[in-house]
Amino acid sequence: MNGNTMKKTLIIILFFPFLVAAQNQSVINNLEQALKLAGENRTELEKVLKHYDKNPEDNLKLKAARFLIENMDTYYFYDSPELETYYNTLDSVFSLNQPYEALTKEQEILLDRLQQEGMPPCRSVSDLQTVTSGFLIDNIDRAFEEWKLPYAKELDFDDFCEYLLPYKSGEKEHPDFWRSIYKDTFYPYTKFGLDISCRLDSGLILHHPSIVMDGEDYFFISENFDTIPEFTVSCLVKPSGYKKWARVFDFGKDPANYICFVPYDHDGVALFQLVSSPNVWEDIKEKRPLPLDRFTHIAMTYSHNFISFYINGTLKKRIRTTLT
């Protein structure tokens, strides 16, 4: 090795630590800048950092907290006493029935009245200057729990931070505990779907976004389907031709206990059918068959001992029954 080579090697070796130091300093500067912009709320954000800095096992959560704080400066929401009243009124309207039920006439009238009145005056508020430590810690902890679920466990840390970690989906939304609200409200109704189906409780995933059938064959969903206490089956159907009693879905214990949907029955119309015993059944018939060569969304939900049937988002029938 000649002298020039040694000098180049020495320069590279010495220069590399400075690159690392510069990168670390940049990260510190971004965090410090965000904390300065937080003003009096700085102490709340520092509580989050201290919370995850106590335990070495929370190293990734600490990085996640820094990511949120460093990128929070452009996010804000609208607020005012009048706006709070507006939101409370909306909540009152939607609390008149269950989330899975169609809107009543009374609800539609109240919502139309709110729409005519328009949005009340409000001011913009910075997230950095208002979010609490409890809110951010709850969001981070719940996001890490969701990262373990089958649909998300393949994400690397960068994708996790980008797509799963954010505490709100829009820059102008009010920060709230939406993760717990969503889980408590919708979790039972999203446990199972035919188009993208996922057993969140057991970790079993079935992912079949497109299934082509000729009316002769069939597709098994799950042998353990009867172990799911509450579920939704949904799919997009595009018939290429009519064949009597060719079914979109059909599941149950035996010929005397089953649920099915038929795009074209013996009367030439679409049909939901529920059979709970040899002599007890419900036929929910449409006036016409499903249209050919056009997608139609079909859904069936079982929850709180009720089965609800939907076509293109419209509730067709809700029946009280117990699936055993």
Side-chain angles (χ1 to χ4, degrees):
M1 182 180 292
N2 58 40
N4 289 335
T5 303
M6 289 180 64
K7 289 179 181 178
K8 290 178 182 178
T9 303
L10 182 61
I11 290 172
I12 292 173
I13 292 173
L14 290 175
F15 187 58
F16 179 73
F18 287 110
L19 279 176
V20 175
Q23 290 174 346
N24 290 338
Q25 187 61 40
S26 175
V27 171
I28 294 172
N29 288 342
N30 291 339
L31 180 61
E32 182 58 32
Q33 181 65 23
L35 292 173
K36 286 182 180 178
L37 291 174
E40 295 180 359
N41 200 47
R42 176 176 183 141
T43 54
E44 284 295 306
L45 302 179
E46 288 178 335
K47 285 180 186 178
V48 179
L49 299 174
K50 291 176 182 178
H51 175 78
Y52 292 120
D53 197 32
K54 297 176 184 176
N55 190 345
E57 294 181 0
D58 287 335
N59 182 51
L60 268 186
K61 289 186 177 182
L62 179 60
K63 289 182 179 179
R66 287 173 176 167
F67 175 87
L68 287 179
I69 295 171
E70 289 169 7
N71 292 279
M72 201 181 292
D73 60 316
T74 60
Y75 290 89
Y76 60 96
F77 60 94
Y78 293 119
D79 190 33
S80 71
E82 296 83 0
L83 187 62
E84 187 69 22
T85 301
Y86 177 85
Y87 285 145
N88 289 337
T89 305
L90 275 180
D91 287 341
S92 299
V93 172
F94 286 112
S95 66
L96 294 175
N97 64 358
Q98 296 296 324
Y100 48 81
E101 294 179 329
L103 291 178
T104 64
K105 191 66 177 177
E106 179 187 6
Q107 287 173 301
E108 291 177 355
I109 293 172
L110 291 171
L111 290 174
D112 286 342
R113 189 181 301 164
L114 276 176
Q115 189 173 11
Q116 291 171 6
E117 294 174 357
M119 288 287 288
C122 49
R123 61 187 178 88
S124 62
V125 181
S126 167
D127 286 6
L128 269 175
Q129 298 174 0
T130 52
V131 294
T132 64
S133 57
F135 168 76
L136 280 182
I137 290 171
D138 178 80
N139 178 80
I140 293 169
D141 287 347
R142 288 183 180 273
F144 271 80
E145 289 175 10
E146 292 162 11
W147 196 9
K148 301 173 185 176
L149 296 177
Y151 74 90
K153 66 180 181 180
E154 301 301 326
L155 294 175
D156 60 27
F157 183 70
D158 289 339
D159 286 339
F160 164 78
C161 288
E162 189 69 27
Y163 299 109
L164 196 58
L165 177 65
Y167 56 87
K168 61 182 187 180
S169 59
E171 64 177 17
K172 300 177 184 178
E173 291 180 357
H174 192 289
D176 57 27
F177 291 86
W178 66 269
R179 292 183 189 273
S180 58
I181 295 171
Y182 182 87
K183 183 175 181 180
D184 294 342
T185 304
F186 297 109
Y187 177 72
Y189 316 115
T190 56
K191 275 193 173 181
F192 198 91
L194 179 58
D195 47 347
I196 298 178
S197 52
C198 180
R199 281 285 300 279
L200 297 180
D201 51 351
S202 68
L204 171 66
I205 288 182
L206 301 176
H207 186 182
H208 296 279
S210 179
I211 304 172
V212 180
M213 297 185 183
D214 59 10
E216 299 290 344
D217 53 359
Y218 53 87
F219 176 82
F220 279 112
I221 296 178
S222 171
E223 294 181 358
N224 299 319
F225 189 75
D226 59 346
T227 66
I228 308 174
E230 296 179 309
F231 59 86
T232 292
V233 174
S234 66
C235 54
L236 287 168
V237 184
K238 185 180 180 182
S240 58
Y242 291 129
K243 183 171 182 178
K244 289 183 180 180
W245 290 101
R247 304 181 182 193
V248 173
F249 58 76
D250 183 347
F251 52 89
K253 293 197 306 179
D254 52 52
N257 293 272
Y258 68 87
I259 305 168
C260 71
F261 175 74
V262 180
Y264 189 81
D265 72 354
H266 61 279
D267 292 325
V269 297
L271 166 73
F272 283 105
Q273 189 172 71
L274 166 65
V275 178
S276 54
S277 72
N279 299 316
V280 179
W281 67 87
E282 290 272 359
D283 285 349
I284 299 94
K285 285 179 175 281
E286 289 293 286
K287 295 180 179 179
R288 56 186 63 85
L290 285 194
L292 295 178
D293 301 316
R294 192 173 74 197
F295 281 111
T296 302
H297 189 265
I298 306 298
M300 188 224 76
T301 294
Y302 177 66
S303 176
H304 301 291
N305 294 328
F306 278 95
I307 287 183
S308 302
F309 297 102
Y310 299 84
I311 295 181
N312 288 329
T314 300
L315 178 65
K316 295 298 180 177
K317 186 80 172 183
R318 189 162 177 261
I319 304 168
R320 178 180 287 277
T321 186
T322 301
L323 295 183
T324 56

